Amino acid sequence: GLNAMIVDSTALTEQAVRDVVASSFRSAGQRWSALRVLYVQENVAPHVIEMLKGAMEELTLGNPWELSTDIGPVIDTEAQTEIEAYVASKSDKVLHRMNAPKTGSFVAPTMLKVGGINDLEREIFGPVLPIIPYKKIEDPVQAINDGPRPLALYPFSNDKALVHHLLTHVMSGGVSVNDGLFHVGQHDLPFGGVGDSGMGHYHGYEGFVTFSKMRPVFYQAPFSAVKFLWPPYGKFATKYLDFLTK
């Protein structure tokens, strides 16, 4: 599934934009918990998009060993070629794109505006952020639930009732509310997927249980009535089985 962030009109825009950039673009978008699709309430979408453009331009692409670098290259040239081909196929939907270094397997962080999740076709494991404006909260809820289960859900809202609605109506492996990552980093909070995004949990006691095998051991008593149920069947077995099947 596609990790989704939902930003409504009550969210703190600066906080949301900061976490969108960190979750979608840092690590060159090649992190399993990275943001893959951003839903923004329609009446605040233009403002959020403009702020995202400014935040993207403040990023530095370059050698990841340099402390001043925000975004390094993707894992290899094969991944670079695949992502670049995808962006080229969506050229009419590009809202903003940075410049990338000419050498190395860099991919320029890219922001797209699409009509719906079906426009995306598949997950892109790289610094590509699709934005989908929405009118009613039921629109992203329905779209997310209609697809494979996402590993993460990131609701950004100061409306407690809305957050509760999303927690109870959207299925995902984990959730960070008003944050784009940190449920993953809590060592005593189980982390894992659901459905297509994985099964089981890491971290803490739940991680121990997931990666352990409980071995059952049975001790038979010296006398057991089970032997009377073995063939050849006698009167006791016949009566007992008749009793069980009534």
Side-chain angles (χ1 to χ4, degrees), residues 30 73-85 102-107:
Q30 300 209 307
V74 296
I75 191 168
D76 54 29
T77 54
E78 182 179 351
Q80 179 191 35
T81 301
E82 179 184 355
I83 300 168
E84 291 288 1
K102 301 300 182 183
T103 58
S105 56
F106 289 91
V107 174

Side-chain angles (χ1 to χ4, degrees), residues 24-220:
S24 185
F25 298 135
R26 292 190 185 274
S27 303
Q30 300 209 307
R31 194 174 61 238
W32 24 258
S33 58
L35 173 61
R36 299 298 180 212
V37 58
L38 172 62
Y39 291 93
V40 185
Q41 194 164 356
E42 198 173 64
N43 60 329
V44 295
H47 180 54
V48 171
I49 289 170
E50 287 305 310
M51 289 193 67
L52 279 170
K53 289 178 180 179
M56 289 172 67
E57 287 304 319
E58 294 180 4
L59 297 172
T60 300
L61 279 71
N63 185 345
W65 290 103
E66 299 292 337
L67 294 178
S68 60
T69 296
D70 295 305
I71 303 174
V74 296
I75 191 168
D76 54 29
T77 54
E78 182 179 351
Q80 179 191 35
T81 301
E82 179 184 355
I83 300 168
E84 291 288 1
Y86 180 83
V87 172
S89 72
K90 305 291 183 184
S91 60
D92 60 326
K93 302 184 187 306
V94 173
L95 284 175
H96 191 67
R97 193 165 202 223
M98 295 179 61
N99 294 317
K102 301 300 182 183
T103 58
S105 56
F106 289 91
V107 174
T110 304
M111 181 166 53
L112 309 174
K113 185 177 181 180
V114 298
I117 202 167
N118 291 332
D119 292 346
L120 304 179
E121 299 151 9
R122 57 191 175 88
E123 180 177 10
I124 296 300
F125 204 65
V128 179
L129 174 64
I131 296 180
I132 304 174
Y134 72 89
K135 291 183 179 180
K136 301 178 297 181
I137 194 61
E138 289 78 11
D139 296 337
V141 168
Q142 186 68 49
I144 296 169
N145 286 335
D146 281 348
R149 304 300 187 222
L151 180 62
L153 175 69
Y154 303 119
F156 270 77
S157 174
N158 284 307
D159 183 336
K160 292 183 179 179
L162 178 68
V163 171
H164 179 73
H165 179 79
L166 292 174
L167 292 177
T168 55
H169 287 76
V170 179
M171 180 67 74
S172 67
V175 183
S176 282
V177 179
N178 291 325
D179 187 87
L181 172 65
F182 275 100
H183 72 286
V184 178
Q186 310 307 308
H187 294 297
D188 57 349
L189 192 64
F191 172 73
V194 59
D196 289 353
S197 62
M199 299 297 288
H201 300 99
Y202 295 92
H203 300 170
Y205 173 76
E206 288 79 8
F208 174 79
V209 171
T210 296
F211 292 103
S212 299
K213 168 64 174 72
M214 183 179 291
R215 183 177 66 164
V217 177
F218 172 76
Y219 286 87
Q220 181 60 276

